[in-house]
Amino acid sequence: MYTIATLASHSALQILKGAKDEGFKTLAIALTKNVSFYKTFGFIDEVVGIDSYSLFSQALSKLSGKNMIMVPHGSFVAYLGKNEGNSDKFPYFGNQKILEIEADRKKQHEWLKSSGINMPEIFDDPQEADRPTIVKYYGARGGSGYFISGDKTDLARNLRSKNPGNDRYIIQEYILGVPVYLQYFYSVVEKRVELLGVDRRYESNVDGIGRIPSSLQSKMKISPSYTVIGNYPIVLRESLLPLVMEMGNNIVDSSRRLTGSKGLYGPFCLETVVTADQKFYAIEISTRIVAGTNLYIKGSPYSDLLFGEPMSTGRRIAREIKTAIKKNRLADILNS
Ligand code: AMP
Ligand code: AMP
């Protein structure tokens, strides 16, 4: 009997609910202050408390007899870092090499470019920024502290005043359009890319700015920020779907060339802005479950078309693990 485990935040409820629905035992590793919250959910068999994220792998070493499979999510990238989150320490659903690329925006850019996907320009030199830009930090920080600039003079001034210091960041062309987050899943056992859902984000304060008159906006001298607060569902024009699937397939194919191994598998999300001429520009890729999938614990319109039963991304992960166990192919979907 396998236990599916994860760090208790981000999309842990969805992951563990899905695991329970597929018949697994479930375990959450939670900060002590959150233990009682996670204990209220009947589908979590065990909640282990830790006083800080730095104690994560230490807690795991005590659980080594459990036949555990860890499912990573955004908090692994944001809070655990390379040492604590390293897959060498436990059996882990996903390809660690790919997850490392997620934390490095330049490598991400090369990968997506090599998949034939449109990307906003990146300016290494602020002097070369001949159009509006957005400055973004590395790692899954949920868009906090980003800033946009109208031109290079604006950008130079902002870089001086915001003083990113030693933080790693990129300067990217700002794309005007609709942000759309494509939630995919690549199944190793079924050998297919699936679209499980699409969402948009509520970001603060940028989604609040339009609620006040423009005269007040300029008086208040607001600079936009992109801190994620939540997500909302969206369905796409059906005529865009073939292109969405083509992009997903290309990304999986090129990931194999990039890592020289199994490449990308399991859940991933292409974060795009779609322009008025219906072009998708990828601004980022997440190579694991994204929190926007929490919308679809009961399934999305797209997962319903594929499965005809409630299929969240969390449940899809557990289904993949279950099928791999049945087919004796577990090694193919654990850390490569
Ligand atoms: P949390 O556990 O909520 O602090 O989130 C862990 C990481 O995932 C942080 O970097 C968050 O910014 C990011 N995150 C959490 N929820 C979402 C969301 N709904 N959409 C995008 N990113 C998120
Ligand atoms: P990210 O952390 O890259 O997912 O970006 C967070 C948010 O910033 C996105 O959801 C978009 O709203 C916005 N954003 C990021 N990059 C761009 C871009 N190049 N053009 C327009 N908006 C962007």
Side-chain angles (χ1 to χ4, degrees):
M1 176 63 124
Y2 284 89
T3 298
I4 291 193
T6 195
L7 188 61
S9 71
H10 190 268
S11 47
L13 292 173
Q14 183 201 156
I15 291 168
L16 298 177
K17 166 87 169 59
K20 185 47 82 182
D21 287 343
E22 291 297 307
F24 288 97
K25 283 193 163 176
T26 54
L27 183 145
I29 297 130
L31 286 181
T32 311
K33 65 181 168 70
N34 295 332
V35 166
S36 61
F37 168 74
Y38 281 94
K39 279 199 166 157
T40 57
F41 297 96
F43 55 83
I44 308 180
D45 296 319
E46 194 178 345
V47 183
V48 174
I50 51 175
D51 288 336
S52 79
Y53 288 117
S54 61
L55 298 171
F56 181 72
S57 58
Q58 201 179 315
L60 282 181
S61 58
K62 292 193 194 122
L63 301 167
S64 56
K66 275 197 186 294
N67 235 356
M68 208 161 45
I69 297 174
M70 186 67 61
V71 175
H73 52 60
S75 297
F76 282 61
V77 181
Y79 304 134
L80 293 185
K82 259 196 163 159
N83 270 340
E84 283 298 309
N86 198 316
S87 67
D88 298 346
K89 301 200 172 113
F90 40 81
Y92 171 111
F93 178 78
N95 184 340
Q96 177 81 21
K97 282 193 197 120
I98 296 280
L99 205 62
E100 276 165 19
I101 294 176
E102 172 179 338
D104 185 330
R105 287 188 182 273
K106 287 235 163 83
K107 283 194 192 154
Q108 260 191 45
H109 188 82
E110 286 161 27
W111 173 21
L112 293 173
K113 273 260 164 225
S114 74
S115 312
I117 291 181
N118 303 318
M119 302 274 304
E121 285 294 324
I122 289 185
F123 300 102
D124 289 327
D125 177 356
Q127 285 304 315
E128 283 169 10
D130 58 356
R131 59 198 93 171
T133 54
I134 179 165
V135 168
K136 312 201 295 187
Y137 297 93
Y138 278 46
R141 280 175 42 172
S144 64
Y146 292 2
F147 53 90
I148 50 178
S149 311
D151 56 26
K152 61 181 165 196
T153 318
D154 222 15
L155 174 64
R157 193 180 43 239
N158 283 335
L159 282 171
R160 269 197 311 275
S161 68
K162 316 244 182 227
N163 191 20
N166 290 332
D167 280 346
R168 298 183 76 198
Y169 62 88
I170 56 166
I171 303 166
Q172 202 175 61
E173 171 188 8
Y174 188 82
I175 305 289
L176 194 62
V178 174
V180 165
Y181 292 73
L182 304 166
Q183 305 164 4
Y184 296 96
F185 188 93
Y186 178 68
S187 166
V188 172
V189 288
E190 307 295 344
K191 284 206 186 73
R192 66 170 189 183
V193 174
E194 298 161 359
L195 180 68
L196 293 185
V198 187
D199 73 288
R200 297 189 53 178
R201 287 183 181 170
Y202 271 125
E203 294 162 337
S204 195
N205 60 10
V206 79
D207 288 317
I209 292 175
R211 298 167 67 99
I212 52 177
S214 67
S215 53
L216 205 56
Q217 287 173 21
S218 43
K219 230 190 247 162
M220 288 166 71
K221 292 203 171 56
I222 306 166
S223 44
S225 62
Y226 296 82
T227 305
V228 177
I229 303 300
N231 307 73
Y232 54 114
I234 178 172
V235 285
L236 293 175
R237 282 171 72 154
E238 189 163 313
S239 54
L240 292 172
L241 292 180
L243 177 57
V244 165
M245 293 314 295
E246 189 184 321
M247 291 193 297
N249 278 298
N250 287 348
I251 287 170
V252 171
D253 286 347
S254 64
S255 74
R256 300 215 183 96
R257 291 196 295 274
L258 193 78
T259 58
S261 68
K262 287 181 249 184
L264 173 66
Y265 57 89
F268 64 101
C269 176
L270 196 59
E271 312 183 358
T272 67
V273 176
V274 191
T275 55
D277 56 359
Q278 300 185 50
K279 271 196 178 151
F280 285 83
Y281 282 83
I283 51 179
E284 206 181 343
I285 184 165
S286 295
T287 57
R288 34 82 199 168
I289 185 168
V290 290
T293 59
N294 289 338
L295 281 166
Y296 304 122
I297 289 181
K298 283 255 168 226
S300 77
Y302 299 112
S303 71
D304 192 41
L305 293 171
L306 288 173
F307 293 93
E309 63 179 319
M311 185 59 68
S312 68
T313 296
R315 185 170 185 181
R316 185 66 190 88
I317 293 169
R319 176 73 57 92
E320 180 84 349
I321 295 172
K322 193 161 103 177
T323 317
I325 292 169
K326 251 189 228 154
K327 297 191 171 177
N328 214 6
R329 293 192 57 192
L330 197 53
D332 292 347
I333 57 162
L334 297 183
N335 21 308
S336 40

